[in-house]
Amino acid sequence: MLDILDILLSATFWTAAVRIMSPLLFATMGELICERAGVLNLGIEGIMVVGAFAGWMAVYSGLGLWPGVAVAMLAGMGFGLLHATLTVPFGLSQHVVGLGITLLATAATYFTYRIALPQVSSPPRIEPFTEWPVPLLSEIPVAGPAFFAQTPLTYLAFATVALTAWVLYRTPLGLALRAAGENPAAVEAQGLSVTVLRMGAVIIGSGLMAVGGAFLTMSAFNSFFFEMVNGRGWICIALVVFGAWRPGKAALGALLFAAFDALQIRLQQTGLGQVVPYQVFLMLPYALSILALVAMSRRAEVPAALMVPFNKGAR
Amino acid sequence: MRLEPIAAPSLARRVGLPLAALAATVVIGMAVVLVAGAEPFAVLGLIVKGAVGSKFALLETLNRATPLIFTGLAVAVAFRAKLWNIGAEAQLYLGAVVTVLLGTGTLAWPAPLLLPALGLAAALAGALTLLGPAWAKARLGVDEVVTTLLLNFIVLLFVSMLLEGPMKDPMGMGWPKSERLIAEARLPRIVEGLRLHWGFGLALIAAVIVWLIQTRTTFGYAMRAVGQNARTARFVGIPVGAVTLGTALLSGSLAGLAGFSEVAGLKGNLTLDLSPGFGYTGIVVAMLALLHPLGVVVAALFVAGIFVGADSMSRAAGVPSYIADILLATALLLMVLALPMTRFRVRWR
């Protein structure tokens, strides 16, 4: 028990938790924007793989880090455009299209990797983002290093949450987007296009998912590996439900999940790790996600038109 | 743009569009090969040759299709009733675990008794795996896409734990693998000396049985009604929750049988790479088959052929075998686009 307390009070633990949380924040906000506009984007896992690869590849071939982030975002938006075209104007099954996009994006990425680097046995490294400690704030005990001595992509992740919340709740665009997911007919009555709103949401949201993937190669690790996204996309879908489709709550959920993930790594090294198989610790985050989904189901405020295609003129 | 229903779609439209989708897939695949710096027609030839070009290749394709028929049926049955079972992978593995637990000497029965018992146990294990998410969907409204997906990760870790712990073969030189099944627990080969085993026959029988259930029974009718419109189904007195649970039992059983067939028919023991994603590929199979149980057999053969052919092509031509996944994803997306277009026409305004 004392072990756990020691871990929870250490700065390195919280620093790790925030680092684990950062890619989840980007991708969760991306998914949340899609779902708020009425589109479930199951392409998230594959789009994160694309982002991780595209950002890393761009830096490896000589672009700077920030242009690399932009490349990752554009690559994600490309797959977002494909998803949006099939699901919004054509109204195809969002489940099937999303899984298809994940399969296509993952396979295309691995294929391109093999073609681009046929001879390498271990993937080449890049110079990733380095920490930018914020003066004064980073000197606060525990929370300082955790929240204010991270790489700039983490700060960008925080900003993305704030911006998503502000746009959704404080701007006419946000109102229109939320309405597209709740009552699309009313949006059309206002003279706005549901198709444009939904497609825009999916494209922007997919761009954010890709940046979440790029965080992995450009900030957390410094290289690209197969399977590196490892289910993070699916976790983000659970986080959106857990956060009841609200940016702030979803971000808190991401922190909780990341803290849990960081805790399980450390628990493996304590006395408990001698007794309990390590797989049990690895299962905990997934089990926690399922439990959270079940617990939240009672008071879920699902966007009413989520997964309902809108065909203009049809009643 | 706007979609307009066509009152009476022509035969050319209904047959031509899906065929056009497949043709477009081939064209896109050849373009990808060109980007990879190889000769597209030669690669296409190598894929076809690797899939059906020899007796060995053909039997390999049939073997690879076997688990895909089971998982494809599992997905198709569930999707028909709007139960989105993304967890066939987990159900397959737990079916395999039960097969190994009972088949390595625990039950020392003669083969005619042991094999059905193992199959039944594996089916039950798969069914129970899906029952939880289906119950949570029916009673609490928890989205089963996410729960079944997350369960895949949990189950794979659980199997890894078993294989490094209680189920580890002491004679396995330290590898995480289970003991081998006893001889009575092995599915016999269809032709002696060749790798094709009776799991394939079982898969064909399963497809016919599922087709009969869907077309000839009240339960099949109820499943379709729930899939088409749960609210209307409830209104006419169909117990929607019970039908969802029944669908889950059928779907999970089929995926569990995939695990039984792979262990008892092909591999003989359980390792962590028993399935290279058969559960997920089953989704592609089911969609290409338009969720029709007999179509699943054709689609599984097609998909298995692409995988086996791409593996063999990859060795010969040096083009990464991930091209198989690219082809399948493209075929999936173009097919789901082509099908509604047989009934709708696009109007630009």
Side-chain angles (χ1 to χ4, degrees):
Chain A
M1 245 17 248
L2 272 175
D3 285 348
I4 298 182
L5 209 62
D6 272 349
I7 293 171
L8 288 180
L9 289 175
S10 73
T12 52
F13 165 74
W14 287 104
T15 308
V18 171
R19 200 184 314 125
I20 295 170
M21 167 178 73
S22 303
L24 302 180
L25 286 183
F26 285 115
T28 305
M29 290 307 123
E31 182 68 37
L32 190 140
I33 292 169
C34 296
E35 291 194 22
R36 266 304 172 102
V39 182
L40 176 74
N41 191 345
L42 292 183
I44 182 168
E45 181 81 8
I47 292 172
M48 287 183 79
V49 176
V50 165
F53 176 75
W56 171 77
M57 199 64 204
V59 177
Y60 178 66
S61 36
L63 281 181
L65 285 167
W66 288 111
V69 174
V71 167
M73 179 144 189
L74 283 175
M77 289 167 78
F79 280 94
L81 176 64
L82 182 60
H83 187 294
T85 310
L86 293 175
T87 53
V88 181
F90 286 103
L92 304 180
S93 159
Q94 296 178 5
H95 285 118
V96 178
V97 169
L99 292 166
I101 296 269
T102 285
L103 182 62
L104 180 66
T106 311
T109 302
Y110 292 173
F111 184 85
T112 312
Y113 174 85
R114 280 275 181 256
I115 294 295
L117 303 160
Q119 306 301 347
V120 296
S121 50
S122 72
R125 292 158 174 267
I126 56 165
E127 211 51 59
F129 279 103
T130 49
E131 282 87 6
W132 280 7
V134 181
L136 294 177
L137 286 175
S138 60
E139 280 152 39
I140 304 169
V142 184
F147 290 94
F148 301 110
Q150 299 276 2
T151 68
L153 271 190
T154 295
Y155 306 137
L156 188 64
F158 296 154
T160 302
V161 176
L163 189 68
T164 306
W166 180 74
V167 170
L168 278 180
Y169 291 105
R170 292 282 185 275
T171 65
L173 173 65
L175 185 65
L177 270 180
R178 285 186 286 136
E182 293 288 349
N183 188 351
V187 176
E188 290 283 333
Q190 295 284 314
L192 297 167
S193 164
V194 172
T195 307
V196 170
L197 281 167
R198 284 187 171 176
M199 286 188 72
V202 173
I203 293 168
I204 298 287
S206 302
L208 287 177
M209 294 168 191
V211 175
F215 184 96
L216 297 174
T217 45
M218 301 174 68
S219 195
F221 310 99
N222 49 16
S223 201
F224 177 81
F225 308 99
F226 285 10
E227 315 282 334
M228 78 184 304
V229 173
N230 192 21
R232 284 182 178 83
W234 312 127
I235 295 290
C236 291
I237 291 176
L239 286 174
V240 171
V241 182
F242 176 80
W245 287 268
R246 288 170 181 273
K249 279 188 190 168
L252 270 181
L255 180 61
L256 192 71
F257 178 86
F260 215 73
D261 205 17
L263 183 66
Q264 62 88 5
I265 298 167
R266 282 158 181 75
L267 282 180
Q268 286 183 43
Q269 292 147 8
T270 65
L272 213 57
Q274 309 286 318
V275 192
V276 183
Y278 71 93
Q279 290 96 342
V280 172
F281 296 108
L282 293 177
M283 276 179 209
L284 287 175
Y286 298 110
L288 187 78
S289 293
I290 292 181
L291 285 179
L293 286 178
V294 173
M296 296 302 288
S297 64
R298 294 247 173 252
R299 47 189 203 84
E301 301 138 53
V302 194
L306 182 61
M307 291 186 276
V308 183
F310 180 73
N311 196 357
K312 194 159 45 175
R315 286 279 169 264
Chain B
M1 60 169 274
R2 204 154 67 92
L3 299 180
E4 255 181 22
I6 303 169
S10 66
L11 184 69
R13 200 179 178 92
R14 279 183 301 166
V15 179
L17 273 169
L19 283 181
L22 285 182
T25 304
V26 173
V27 171
I28 290 174
M30 297 206 322
V32 175
V33 169
L34 209 59
V35 172
E39 172 63 47
F41 285 101
V43 166
L44 195 68
L46 283 173
I47 292 183
V48 174
K49 186 161 163 272
V52 294
S54 66
K55 194 166 158 192
F56 174 80
L58 189 64
L59 291 181
E60 208 43 35
T61 299
L62 295 183
N63 257 343
R64 183 68 80 96
T66 302
L68 291 178
I69 295 175
F70 281 118
T71 55
L73 285 173
V75 171
V77 157
F79 278 22
R80 245 295 134 100
K82 287 272 158 60
L83 178 72
W84 301 92
N85 178 11
I86 318 293
E89 191 79 357
Q91 295 139 31
L92 180 154
Y93 268 103
L94 287 179
V97 163
V98 169
T99 305
V100 170
L101 279 179
L102 297 178
T104 44
T106 315
L107 294 183
W109 296 350
L113 274 180
L114 183 56
L115 281 172
L118 291 182
L120 219 60
L124 195 65
L128 291 178
T129 316
L130 185 53
L131 204 57
W135 179 84
K137 173 199 169 81
R139 281 300 300 274
L140 307 168
V142 183
D143 185 31
E144 75 280 16
V145 172
V146 190
T147 48
T148 53
L149 238 171
L150 294 175
L151 265 180
N152 288 340
F153 291 91
I154 295 180
V155 165
L156 212 64
L157 285 164
F158 177 66
V159 173
S160 153
M161 194 172 101
L162 290 177
L163 289 181
E164 288 181 14
M167 280 176 73
K168 185 172 182 172
D169 181 4
M171 312 299 280
M173 321 275 278
W175 291 104
K177 59 180 188 186
S178 77
E179 286 179 48
R180 297 193 72 76
L181 296 182
I182 57 174
E184 288 79 8
R186 294 300 302 271
L187 279 167
R189 306 278 166 90
I190 290 183
V191 181
E192 202 50 52
L194 297 170
R195 259 160 64 89
L196 188 66
H197 57 87
W198 270 106
F200 182 69
L202 193 63
L204 295 183
I205 296 169
V208 173
I209 291 177
V210 169
W211 177 68
L212 289 176
I213 290 177
Q214 282 190 341
T215 52
R216 300 280 192 279
T217 66
T218 331
F219 175 58
Y221 168 78
M223 282 200 292
R224 199 165 56 225
V226 170
Q228 273 163 359
N229 192 332
R231 197 176 296 172
T232 314
R234 185 169 285 126
F235 185 73
V236 299
I238 292 171
V240 174
V243 171
T244 301
L245 293 185
T247 307
L249 289 176
L250 181 59
S251 170
S253 302
L254 289 161
L257 279 174
F260 162 71
S261 151
E262 281 302 278
V263 170
L266 200 60
K267 300 288 176 66
N269 67 352
L270 177 58
T271 51
L272 268 182
D273 58 0
L274 179 74
S275 158
F278 288 135
Y280 303 102
T281 312
I283 298 168
V284 181
V285 169
M287 294 315 299
L288 291 181
L290 323 181
L291 306 185
H292 191 291
L294 301 180
V296 162
V297 175
V298 180
L301 288 170
F302 172 72
V303 168
I306 288 188
F307 273 121
V308 173
D311 276 348
S312 139
M313 174 279 297
S314 178
R315 285 190 296 273
V319 173
S321 63
Y322 291 109
I323 192 151
D325 286 311
I326 297 182
L327 285 175
L328 290 183
T330 311
L332 173 70
L333 291 175
L334 288 174
M335 198 58 105
V336 287
L337 179 63
L339 290 174
M341 289 310 116
T342 58
R343 286 178 291 113
F344 291 94
R345 153 184 314 126
V346 178
R347 270 286 147 81
W348 301 92
R349 284 190 308 186

